[in-house]
Amino acid sequence: MNTKNLLVRYDKDLRLRIMYPEARKEITRDVVRIIRQAPGMNVVAFTFANEGRLHDVIHREVEYFTPLNQPFTWKVYDHDLLPNLKDELASHGFERNEDPADVMVLNVKRAPSALLQPGTTDIRRVTDVDGLKDVTYVLDNVWGGHNTWVNDRLGAHLQVPGYLSVYIAYIENHPAAVAWTYFPHGQFATLYAGSTIAEYRKQGLYTSLLARRIQEIRERGYHYAVVETGSMSKPIVAKHGFQHLTTVHDYEWKGN
């Protein structure tokens, strides 16, 4: 894996050219902004400004976002050539997420053979909003709370042809695990979730869902599968052939 070239492609596809159906993108000479309707999270996805201008640029972005009355996150990647950006954000009152995400990538043409075999697990693809009720059921049991955002966010994205694939694994007709994949323009398909209810773990459901998604990514002509992982999940995807590409740190402004 040529990391340098892959990082250039990653930045182009998933930070500069990325489009979200529910958001508008604004590109200024200093940053790339992703703006959502309230209460959605707004994002500074990329920083063009050089080191000498960071203080003023961050001040202007805070002034821009504050009237929107929404939190916003400034994304900082380890490969960004801005060593002072983290300190500048902290000095402006941004709060750093204490669990940065490792960006893990797999060249799907070189995926392990175990991920390319026909599966025997009962995996069903969700095709409409009604099917999302089992996704919510699994997430509620895994993470707690009431994940009602699923119907709004995933439901809307399912209406965009070819943009989102949602899968549910069942054990004896009971929803047991869920995962989904986004297919933005470019070479990278992005993986999310992979959540399994505790009583159904250690039955290969995570691997089965991953295999189904990797096979679809290959079939659709994408080159890479990419996923952001925390410290707990990084070893899990690494054993399936994913390699570390970079690390992303979220700095969130909460109106302090």
Side-chain angles (χ1 to χ4, degrees):
M1 181 174 69
N2 187 316
T3 301
K4 183 177 180 180
N5 291 345
L6 195 54
L7 283 169
V8 171
R9 173 55 59 185
Y10 174 89
D11 283 345
K12 285 182 179 178
D13 283 359
L14 296 183
R15 300 178 69 193
L16 298 174
R17 297 174 178 170
I18 189 73
M19 299 293 291
Y20 299 95
E22 78 284 4
R24 73 177 188 272
K25 181 173 67 177
E26 298 177 350
I27 301 178
T28 74
R29 69 170 185 163
D30 298 316
V31 299
V32 176
R33 303 174 183 136
I34 305 298
I35 311 295
R36 294 179 171 88
Q37 292 185 347
M41 174 69 73
N42 296 327
V43 176
V44 173
F46 195 93
T47 307
F48 297 112
N50 60 36
E51 288 273 296
R53 299 179 54 239
L54 285 178
H55 181 87
D56 291 340
V57 168
I58 294 170
H59 182 73
R60 283 197 298 271
E61 291 304 307
V62 169
E63 287 188 327
Y64 175 88
F65 280 103
T66 298
L68 301 180
N69 294 317
Q70 297 166 244
F72 76 95
T73 294
W74 202 300
K75 299 281 187 179
V76 184
Y77 290 74
D78 278 356
H79 67 282
D80 289 338
L81 302 178
L82 296 167
N84 293 324
L85 179 54
K86 295 176 184 178
D87 289 341
E88 285 286 356
L89 289 168
S91 72
H92 281 78
F94 285 77
E95 297 181 15
R96 180 171 66 91
N97 187 320
E98 295 299 328
D99 188 16
D102 287 306
V103 179
M104 305 290 287
V105 65
L106 174 70
N107 182 335
V108 296
K109 293 182 179 179
R110 301 174 184 172
S113 60
L115 296 179
L116 305 179
Q117 304 304 313
T120 58
T121 303
D122 180 6
I123 294 178
R124 308 173 196 175
R125 182 170 176 174
V126 176
T127 58
D128 54 32
V129 173
D130 185 61
L132 292 174
K133 65 181 182 298
D134 284 347
V135 174
T136 302
Y137 173 83
V138 171
L139 295 180
D140 287 352
N141 278 271
V142 172
W143 303 108
H146 301 284
N147 292 273
T148 55
W149 60 268
V150 167
N151 281 345
D152 292 335
R153 187 185 308 172
L154 300 189
H157 292 167
L158 282 173
Q159 305 304 311
V160 181
Y163 182 56
L164 172 65
S165 293
V166 181
Y167 292 100
I168 306 172
Y170 290 82
I171 297 292
E172 296 181 349
N173 217 36
H174 294 287
V178 298
W180 55 89
T181 309
Y182 281 105
F183 293 89
H185 293 296
Q187 298 181 3
F188 296 84
T190 56
L191 306 178
Y192 289 87
S195 300
T196 304
I197 296 174
E199 65 187 277
Y200 298 117
R201 291 173 185 162
K202 301 187 182 303
Q203 298 187 48
L205 300 183
Y206 179 91
T207 300
S208 295
L209 285 168
L210 179 62
R212 177 65 63 89
R213 291 180 293 161
I214 294 302
Q215 291 167 28
E216 181 186 10
I217 291 168
R218 281 169 56 103
E219 291 165 1
R220 294 182 58 171
Y222 281 74
H223 295 185
Y224 303 100
V226 65
V227 60
E228 293 185 6
T229 66
S231 56
M232 297 288 288
S233 54
K234 180 180 178 180
I236 298 173
V237 300
K239 79 174 185 178
H240 291 293
F242 284 75
Q243 296 179 303
H244 180 258
L245 182 62
T246 186
T247 301
V248 56
H249 307 261
D250 285 355
Y251 282 75
E252 186 175 350
W253 172 259
K254 297 184 178 180
N256 298 334

